[in-house]
Amino acid sequence: MDDSIETRFQAAIDAGKINGAVICTTDTEGHFVYNKTLGARTLLSGEKVPQRLDDVLFLASATKLITTVAALQCVDEGLLTLTGDLSPVAPELATKQVLTGFSADDAPLLEPAARPITLEMLLSHSSGISYDFANPHIVRWRRKFDPPQETSRRPVEQAFSYPLGFQPGTSWMYGPGLDWAGRIVERVTGRTLGERMQQRIFDPLGITGAQFNPVTRKDLRARLVDLNPHDRDGLGHAVVGGSADMNKRSQGDFGGHGLFMPGADYAKVLHSLLASDGTLLKPSTVDDMFQHHLNQEASMGQQAALAGPLGPFFRVGIDMETKIGHGLGGVITLQNVDGWYGERTMTWGGGLSLAWFIDRKSDLCGICAIQPVLPDFDGGLLAALKQTFRHDIYSKYAAWKEQQQTSKNKAV
C-alpha cells in the first residue's frame, strides 16, 4: 500500500476505523490548492451523507490559534501588551499561588508567585497554568478541593481556579492559558470572545459558519459533524477520543477548546497568517508569532516535557531529532527538516484527530480533520493518518512545483 492520503485514508474508511476526513491546504497565492473530502458523516437519523468542505467541525484545541490572533489584535490596538502584568485586567491571576507538593498529612504546599503572569506566558504555556491531567499535584489538589461536577457549568475563572504548577516563566506545560487569554480579550474589549472573533477575524475573512459551544444556530447544526447517534448533544466526543465533557461543563466562550467551524474556513485563517496579508494582524506581529517565546528556563521545561510520557503528543508529529520551541499559537521548528517542514514552521492540533500547520519558509499551510468512529476509537491509527497528511501533502506540493517548472521550461 502506498503512503498517499487517498490510499491510506480510504483504507481506514473501508476498514470501518474512521468515517471520513476534511483536508484543506494552500500556498500563499492560491496556485497550489488541495481541498479534499473523504468518506461520510452520519446524521442523527443514522443516515450517511458525503463529507463536505463546509461541514462544521469541533476544533477542540485548534481553537487556541484563533484565540491567539484575537489576543494579539488587542496588542496591535494598544489594549494589551505581551510582557505587562495582567493583574489589573485579571486580578484572579495575581492571587494564584504555586503548588509544590503535599505534606505528610495531605495538606497542599503552596508558595507565592515570584513574578506576575503576562500575556506572552499565557500564549506560550509558560505561565504555570497547566491542565490537571499534565500535573499529578494539580490532579491531587482538584480531587481534594475541586472535584468535577458533571451537571455544573462554570466560567473560565471557576473552571481553572486551581493553583499554578510552577513559578511563572520558569518552565513549560500545556494548559488553559488560552482560555484565560480569551477571557482577558473579553474584558478589554467589552465583547464576548465569539463576538470579538466574528467582528475582527471572521467577518474580514468572509467566515459565517463559526460558533462557540454550544452550537445553537440551525444552519450550523444541520452541518455539524459531531451531531450524530454517538453524540446527540453535539459536544465533539469523537474528536477527543470519547468524552467531550469539558463542553458540557463550560459556561461562556472558552478560548482553549470551545470553537466549532468548517475546515475550509479555518484554512482561511491559516492562509491569512501564511500570507501575512495585514487582514488580521500587523505583519510585524505575525513575524513575532513565529519566534521562539520561551526563555532559557522555560525552554528547559519544554524539553523535559517533550522527553516525558506526553512527549509524543506535544511534538505533534515532529521527530525527536528536530529542535522545536514555542511561538505564539503553537510549537515551532527551530531548524529545517529535509523535504518537509521549513525552519519556524508552526503547528498544533485539536483533540486526537485534527492537525494544522503554517510553513512560511516552504509557503504552505493546511488543516486535516479526521472523523473517528465511536465507540471503537483507534488513537494509533489517527496518529498515523495525521502523519500521512503531514508528509504526503509535501510530496504532492513538490510534485506540483516540479510540474510547474517543467511546463515553464517547455514554454521557453
Side-chain angles (χ1 to χ4, degrees):
M1 182 187 298
D2 67 51
D3 289 326
S4 71
I5 291 169
E6 293 81 0
T7 300
R8 292 289 182 178
F9 278 63
Q10 191 59 52
I13 292 169
D14 294 343
K17 296 293 187 179
I18 66 171
N19 290 315
V22 173
I23 297 171
C24 299
T25 311
T26 185
D27 63 0
T28 296
E29 298 297 329
H31 295 157
F32 173 80
V33 176
Y34 181 88
N35 290 336
K36 184 77 172 179
T37 60
L38 301 103
R41 67 182 181 93
T42 306
L43 306 182
L44 268 176
S45 63
E47 177 189 357
K48 290 185 179 296
V49 296
Q51 193 89 67
R52 292 172 30 156
L53 289 174
D54 66 348
D55 284 343
V56 177
L57 312 168
F58 174 40
L59 297 184
S61 286
T63 303
K64 290 178 170 67
L65 176 65
I66 302 182
T67 302
T68 296
V69 172
L72 292 176
Q73 287 176 332
C74 292
V75 174
D76 277 355
E77 294 173 21
L79 299 174
L80 292 169
T81 66
L82 272 179
T83 57
D85 181 357
L86 287 173
S87 59
V89 181
E92 304 94 332
L93 296 180
T95 62
K96 281 187 176 293
Q97 295 180 295
V98 181
L99 179 63
T100 61
F102 286 81
S103 66
D105 59 355
D106 201 33
L109 302 175
L110 297 163
E111 62 183 31
R115 60 188 60 81
I117 290 174
T118 68
L119 182 61
E120 182 181 42
M121 293 176 189
L122 293 179
L123 301 184
S124 62
H125 299 295
S126 59
S127 68
I129 302 172
S130 59
Y131 285 126
D132 53 4
F133 68 78
N135 186 313
H137 291 325
I138 301 298
V139 170
R140 187 172 174 181
W141 189 93
R142 292 204 68 185
R143 191 180 298 124
K144 184 178 178 66
F145 298 105
D146 187 28
Q149 303 295 321
E150 294 299 324
T151 59
S152 175
R153 287 187 175 272
R154 302 193 295 177
V156 168
E157 297 91 332
Q158 295 177 17
F160 305 117
S161 62
Y162 48 81
L164 304 177
F166 53 83
Q167 286 287 350
T170 66
S171 191
W172 183 94
M173 183 47 66
Y174 190 48
L178 273 297
D179 294 291
W180 278 103
R183 191 70 185 93
I184 289 165
V185 168
E186 292 184 328
R187 292 180 181 181
V188 299
T189 64
R191 293 175 172 268
T192 68
L193 185 58
E195 289 170 345
R196 176 68 177 183
M197 287 180 174
Q198 189 64 55
Q199 177 194 41
R200 292 286 283 106
I201 299 175
F202 302 145
D203 284 347
L205 294 177
I207 295 171
T208 60
Q211 188 176 22
F212 274 93
N213 173 74
V215 177
T216 55
R217 282 173 45 187
K218 289 184 179 180
D219 61 319
L220 301 188
R221 289 179 69 84
R223 295 183 276 133
L224 183 56
V225 170
D226 294 289
L227 187 62
N228 56 61
H230 289 291
D231 195 349
R232 291 187 171 276
D233 295 321
L235 295 174
H237 292 315
V239 175
V240 292
S243 177
D245 286 348
M246 67 278 196
N247 279 339
K248 190 183 296 184
R249 298 193 294 263
S250 300
Q251 178 184 312
D253 299 346
F254 275 58
H257 69 254
L259 197 57
F260 290 73
M261 69 188 297
D265 284 343
Y266 196 89
K268 293 179 182 179
V269 178
L270 299 179
H271 175 262
S272 182
L273 296 174
L274 175 70
S276 191
D277 56 16
T279 302
L280 301 180
L281 295 166
K282 296 177 181 177
S284 59
T285 303
V286 175
D287 290 343
D288 194 41
M289 289 179 69
F290 292 82
Q291 300 305 308
H292 182 45
H293 277 267
L294 302 179
N295 61 29
Q296 186 173 2
E297 277 187 292
S299 293
M300 291 175 63
Q302 185 191 32
Q303 295 310 307
L306 293 173
L310 293 173
F313 175 76
F314 295 150
R315 297 195 74 89
V316 285
I318 302 170
D319 61 55
M320 292 287 291
E321 289 70 38
T322 301
K323 295 177 182 179
I324 66 175
H326 207 285
L328 302 178
V331 299
I332 55 171
T333 57
L334 298 180
Q335 63 184 89
N336 293 322
V337 183
D338 188 36
W340 194 36
Y341 289 162
E343 183 180 356
R344 306 289 168 162
T345 293
M346 181 179 289
T347 180
W348 199 248
L352 299 175
S353 60
L354 189 151
W356 63 263
F357 71 91
I358 305 171
D359 182 347
R360 300 210 297 168
K361 188 166 187 178
S362 302
D363 189 31
L364 192 66
C365 66
I367 177 175
C368 170
I370 306 167
Q371 318 310 326
V373 170
L374 290 179
D376 301 320
F377 188 89
D378 190 337
L381 174 65
L382 291 177
L385 289 176
K386 286 187 292 184
Q387 282 299 83
T388 295
F389 157 69
R390 292 176 179 124
H391 286 277
D392 186 44
I393 201 65
Y394 275 80
S395 297
K396 295 181 187 305
Y397 188 39
W400 174 81
K401 287 194 288 187
E402 184 177 346
Q403 183 182 44
Q404 294 297 111
Q405 188 60 48
T406 300
S407 298
K408 287 182 180 178
N409 293 340
K410 288 181 178 179
V412 174

